[in-house]
Amino acid sequence: MIREKKRIHVTQQGRPSSSGNNLDPWYSSYAARAAGLAASEVRALFAVASRPEVVSLAGGMPYVSALPEDLVTGAMDRVMREQGPTALQYGSGQGVPALREQILDVMALEGISASASDIVVTTGSQHALELFSKLFLDPGDVVISEGPSYVTAMVIFKSYQAEISHVPMDDDGLEPEALRQRIAALKAEGKRIKFLYTIPTFHNPAGVTLAESRRAEILEIAKQNDILVLEDNPYGLLYFDKEPPKALRSLDEDGVVYLGTFSKTLAPGFRVGWALAPHAIREKLILANEAAILCPSSFSQLVISEYLASADWKGQIETFRGVYRERKQTMIAALEEHLPMCTWTDPNGGFYVWLTLPEGLDSKAMLPRAVKELVAYTPGTAFYGDGGGAQNMRLSFCYPTPEQIRVGIRRLANVVNGELDLLQTFGGSGSLPGRASSSNYNAPPPNMS
Amino acid sequence: MIREKKRIHVTQQGRPSSSGNNLDPWYSSYAARAAGLAASEVRALFAVASRPEVVSLAGGMPYVSALPEDLVTGAMDRVMREQGPTALQYGSGQGVPALREQILDVMALEGISASASDIVVTTGSQHALELFSKLFLDPGDVVISEGPSYVTAMVIFKSYQAEISHVPMDDDGLEPEALRQRIAALKAEGKRIKFLYTIPTFHNPAGVTLAESRRAEILEIAKQNDILVLEDNPYGLLYFDKEPPKALRSLDEDGVVYLGTFSKTLAPGFRVGWALAPHAIREKLILANEAAILCPSSFSQLVISEYLASADWKGQIETFRGVYRERKQTMIAALEEHLPMCTWTDPNGGFYVWLTLPEGLDSKAMLPRAVKELVAYTPGTAFYGDGGGAQNMRLSFCYPTPEQIRVGIRRLANVVNGELDLLQTFGGSGSLPGRASSSNYNAPPPNMS
């Protein structure tokens, strides 16, 4: 029986704890894909790390306090006064037409020309990732992504029983030649590659940006191999100095599905993002969206539409840029001062620095000691599907204040120095207790990812 | 290859049009499950039916105009003033703790005693259905449901490649003996039954309620057969005269996953519902929720929490009850006056009447003529996964005013009488043009379902 073959995770031996246990009477009823949804090993630690005395460099929370509340309150009041019954009612599964028109203006800033009819409004761009994956991924399919990659995208891919194949980046982003070779190798193995998931601009977690010179080349490689490109672009407008290259979607409208969001340029609490997709895919995304949630929140959409119509939203993005620019500069300066034995990326936008520890140190094994020293980060292994990243960590500068960042990096330096002392005393990396690190791209809590 | 065997819907012959066409360059890339997501055949017709001159008895939209806007606006303003940064930020994947506590009070009205830690807040209860199905349904699994059943639940089950097996209802709801026999028959066929999906109270679309005397019996049958019960209860608090029996979940906390929503007792525009589930299932629902959307909207949750804390929400539900009671009475009186050749259910709550046409008439074939007469309804076939329901239609009394209901039923009577004249002139049902009706439980647009 095919089904029994697939359900090896519920056999008596070798059950991963993630798929349940004998205390769960419904243990044998879960679908095979449920085994892909497991709590992160670091989840409990993050719960501790959310105490106020801990400086968290782990979260991906935007600094919403930089948004004047009256801009939002004013938009809400107008929406309720002028369109109350519409805001409170079910709406279309594709999203409010006026908002989709305004989203065209947002995407135009990144060189994208499109039709509002090809936009599907989703519950954050996260849900666009989920819907897209539901539409495309059969068990055993392969998704190619940068290595490292966005943790909760990988959780989704895995939940649809896909395999993730990481292609390395350098300071100019995804390496075209490595991509070519990987595709050829996967095809030689008989694998079915469904899409390339990429965050070309201000990558999460790597902080790097795909160079302009590489963009057409990456698209050409995808096209030659009939591979869809899923471009995830939450941070593109949050650059610090010069504008990044135009979005991949601006170069190819047939082979790219583009994901955008208001979570970083406005506020995540509304849960409004979108997908821009070729016609046929857009039609299926709408049906999948309707099946999953009937329609996105009318209220959230109308408030954002009113905000875009009445507030200086470009000026507000400029404000966010200034906040994050200062925090990034503070973090880099603190790293230079306190952690000269490490290396890191220096992003021109976005939320994250990707740090590489000295040889022999393991970021996940080190995390409990860091939390004890009242600083938290996300271990690099969270961002790989294949066990990579043990020597790395993601440091977020988006939410903590500059002063907290300085304190956090000092504390982190204490931890790293302590680890290095231990390493010198006891020798090679294999000999320290608790060093073993395994693949872990299960999700940390959402406000940490 | 297993994958190729499953993907028969993309072979060259016999492609259902639903899975795409040759104009879609990504046609061969979709997952097998995408074939289950197809646009309803009546979708185009519903677009016409949304013109203002058409009386729509097809929608499931609550009458939100009966909700005083200042109750909502006041709650919003207080949330932004007192908890602005929290409302705008990411939150927990399980939902706001204070709201989960308040949901206990709502469920207590239906006899449910539970812990807030077993509640997962979702993007409407629709998304709870989606997440639950993702967790439990492997291809080929069987979901048992009433026949007819809620259309967009069946769309979800089908999207996870499950089979739907309908068990009949009578005026006292699901028939226990029929359920017993169906389970035995499915087991004899070697089918894997995953859960019983049921709307025990004020059924959508049938309008009937599972009798108190049957509730423990249905649960016992499920327990004996190790079948989970998924209790969908959007309408339970919207009774007209006497309270309905207590929820199934009040009788069994280990074998029932309960779904609730604020869409009908407050407003659907916020997209806030919930699941109440046994511990282990709840844990997986949280992980699935986080993967799908990171977290439900903080803003929506806090506004509802503030509304529940400060407004007379029970009084508001009483107001809704009065609105819907009057509309139901108006519809029944109009049916008695104008459609004596039909039969219908007379619900004690909820939004819907289920009408049975005279022998020989087909509600889907009749729909274009109805829309031409400026009245719309949902054909009965939409609510079956097996071709049933051709002689039935769902009539909604929730949204149109009493006067519109009277006009709509008069117009419907003209259509039915016209059809009966045709039938008498041309003979048996098979001989009329356009009579053929096939299984169609694809989704109408969400504001129609």
Side-chain angles (χ1 to χ4, degrees), chain B residues 92-383:
Chain B
S92 116
Q94 184 172 9
V96 168
L99 178 62
R100 287 188 281 112
E101 293 289 342
Q102 292 164 310
I103 287 171
L104 295 180
D105 298 336
V106 177
M107 293 193 298
L109 297 179
E110 305 200 58
I112 295 173
S113 158
S115 159
S117 69
D118 288 336
I119 293 170
V120 183
V121 179
T122 54
T123 306
S125 58
Q126 185 70 26
H127 203 219
L129 271 173
E130 164 82 11
L131 298 173
F132 182 87
S133 299
K134 183 179 177 184
L135 283 180
F136 279 94
L137 293 177
D138 282 312
D141 283 349
V142 173
V143 177
I144 297 178
S145 80
E146 289 106 354
S149 189
Y150 170 50
V151 54
T152 319
M154 292 191 291
V155 170
I156 292 176
F157 304 151
K158 196 181 165 201
S159 80
Y160 285 107
Q161 299 166 274
E163 295 170 21
I164 297 156
S165 183
H166 289 299
V167 172
M169 289 173 280
D170 59 22
D171 285 346
D172 285 336
L174 191 65
E175 299 175 22
E177 191 47 39
L179 176 62
R180 249 185 227 105
Q181 289 173 10
R182 180 63 50 84
I183 291 171
L186 288 166
K187 288 193 167 179
E189 287 179 56
K191 299 281 191 185
R192 188 175 163 99
I193 305 167
K194 277 295 173 68
F195 53 87
L196 166 65
Y197 170 70
T198 179
I199 309 168
T201 305
F202 314 137
H203 190 274
N204 175 8
V208 300
T209 291
L210 185 65
E212 184 152 24
S213 58
R214 285 185 181 178
R215 297 202 166 208
E217 188 179 1
I218 294 289
L219 290 170
E220 185 58 30
I221 295 169
K223 192 174 182 181
Q224 281 165 354
N225 290 282
D226 290 323
I227 296 173
L228 253 176
V229 175
L230 183 57
E231 178 180 27
D232 194 2
N233 188 30
Y235 310 106
L237 294 175
L238 296 174
Y239 54 87
F240 304 143
D241 301 312
K242 72 179 176 57
E243 279 188 47
K246 299 302 179 199
L248 293 174
R249 171 56 176 75
S250 72
L251 304 172
D252 180 355
E253 65 181 81
D254 297 321
V256 177
V257 172
Y258 175 95
L259 307 185
T261 181
F262 289 106
S263 290
K264 274 74 182 183
T265 53
L266 177 56
F270 294 111
R271 311 307 301 118
V272 176
W274 69 91
L276 170 66
H279 301 314
I281 296 175
R282 168 260 284 164
E283 276 306 297
K284 287 189 182 295
L285 282 173
I286 295 170
L287 293 170
N289 205 20
E290 291 177 359
I293 61 159
L294 294 178
C295 60
S297 165
S298 304
F299 180 79
S300 286
Q301 291 180 86
L302 289 176
V303 169
I304 293 180
S305 179
E306 176 61 29
Y307 167 82
L308 293 172
S310 60
D312 176 16
W313 61 273
K314 291 180 191 173
Q316 180 58 40
I317 292 175
E318 191 61 53
T319 300
F320 280 127
R321 272 184 209 130
V323 168
Y324 299 131
R325 183 192 299 116
E326 182 194 5
R327 291 171 184 209
K328 196 265 320 209
Q329 287 166 346
T330 303
M331 180 173 278
I332 298 291
L335 288 170
E336 286 169 351
E337 183 180 346
H338 299 293
L339 284 162
M341 72 299 270
C342 298
T343 58
W344 51 83
T345 55
D346 183 356
N348 182 36
F351 283 6
Y352 310 109
V353 163
W354 183 246
L355 181 136
T356 303
L357 292 166
E359 194 83 32
L361 296 198
D362 180 316
S363 66
K364 194 159 83 179
M366 201 173 88
L367 185 57
R369 287 163 239 197
V371 172
K372 193 156 167 269
E373 293 281 336
L374 305 181
V375 61
Y377 55 81
T378 311
T381 46
F383 304 97

Side-chain angles (χ1 to χ4, degrees), chain A residues 215-281:
Chain A
R215 296 199 168 209
E217 189 178 3
I218 294 288
L219 290 170
E220 185 58 31
I221 295 169
K223 191 173 183 181
Q224 281 164 353
N225 290 282
D226 290 322
I227 296 172
L228 253 176
V229 175
L230 183 57
E231 178 179 28
D232 194 2
N233 188 31
Y235 310 105
L237 294 175
L238 296 174
Y239 54 87
F240 304 144
D241 300 311
K242 71 179 175 58
E243 280 188 48
K246 298 302 179 201
L248 293 175
R249 170 57 177 75
S250 72
L251 305 172
D252 180 355
E253 67 181 80
D254 297 322
V256 177
V257 172
Y258 175 95
L259 308 185
T261 181
F262 289 106
S263 290
K264 274 74 182 184
T265 52
L266 177 57
F270 294 110
R271 310 307 302 119
V272 176
W274 69 90
L276 170 66
H279 302 314
I281 296 174

Side-chain angles (χ1 to χ4, degrees), chain A residues 1-7 18-20 23-26 28-35 37-40 43 60-65 67 69 72-73 76-77 80-81 83-93 123 126-128 130-131 133-141 150 152 155-156 159-161 190-192 194 222 226-229 254-256 263-264 267-271 278 280-281 284 286-288 290-300 399 443-447 449, chain B residues 1-7 18-20 23-26 28-35 37-40 43 60-65 67 69 72-73 76-77 80-81 83-93 123 126-128 130-131 133-141 150 152 155-156 159-161 190-192 194 222 226-229 254-256 263-264 267-271 278 280-281 283-284 286-288 290-300 399 443-447 449:
Chain A
M1 286 166 64
I2 291 172
R3 204 180 60 235
E4 286 307 308
K5 275 174 68 182
K6 282 174 48 199
R7 295 181 58 78
S18 58
S19 72
L23 296 175
D24 177 3
W26 302 106
S28 63
S29 294
Y30 296 109
R33 75 178 71 81
L37 285 165
S40 167
R43 198 180 176 94
M61 295 192 292
Y63 190 66
V64 290
S65 298
L67 176 70
E69 270 166 34
V72 178
T73 316
M76 281 174 191
D77 286 344
M80 285 306 295
R81 207 164 51 233
Q83 308 178 69
T86 308
L88 296 173
Q89 191 56 271
Y90 291 112
S92 115
T123 307
Q126 185 70 26
H127 202 220
E130 164 81 11
L131 297 173
S133 299
K134 184 179 177 184
L135 284 181
F136 279 94
L137 294 177
D138 282 312
D141 284 348
Y150 170 50
T152 318
V155 170
I156 291 176
S159 80
Y160 285 106
Q161 299 166 272
K191 299 283 191 184
R192 188 174 162 101
K194 278 294 175 70
D226 290 322
I227 296 172
L228 253 176
V229 175
D254 297 322
V256 177
S263 290
K264 274 74 182 184
F270 294 110
R271 310 307 302 119
I281 296 174
K284 286 189 181 297
I286 295 170
L287 293 171
E290 290 178 0
I293 61 159
L294 295 179
C295 61
S297 166
S298 305
F299 180 79
S300 286
Y399 194 72
N447 53 357
S449 68
Chain B
M1 285 165 66
I2 292 173
R3 205 180 59 234
E4 286 308 307
K5 275 172 68 181
K6 282 171 48 199
R7 297 182 56 79
S18 60
S19 71
L23 296 174
D24 177 2
W26 302 106
S28 63
S29 294
Y30 296 110
R33 74 178 70 81
L37 285 166
S40 166
R43 199 181 176 92
M61 295 192 291
Y63 190 66
V64 292
S65 297
L67 176 71
E69 270 167 34
V72 177
T73 316
M76 281 175 191
D77 286 344
M80 285 306 295
R81 207 164 50 232
Q83 309 178 69
T86 308
L88 296 173
Q89 193 53 274
Y90 291 112
S92 116
T123 306
Q126 185 70 26
H127 203 219
E130 164 82 11
L131 298 173
S133 299
K134 183 179 177 184
L135 283 180
F136 279 94
L137 293 177
D138 282 312
D141 283 349
Y150 170 50
T152 319
V155 170
I156 292 176
S159 80
Y160 285 107
Q161 299 166 274
K191 299 281 191 185
R192 188 175 163 99
K194 277 295 173 68
D226 290 323
I227 296 173
L228 253 176
V229 175
D254 297 321
V256 177
S263 290
K264 274 74 182 183
F270 294 111
R271 311 307 301 118
I281 296 175
E283 276 306 297
K284 287 189 182 295
I286 295 170
L287 293 170
E290 291 177 359
I293 61 159
L294 294 178
C295 60
S297 165
S298 304
F299 180 79
S300 286
Y399 193 72
N447 54 356
S449 68

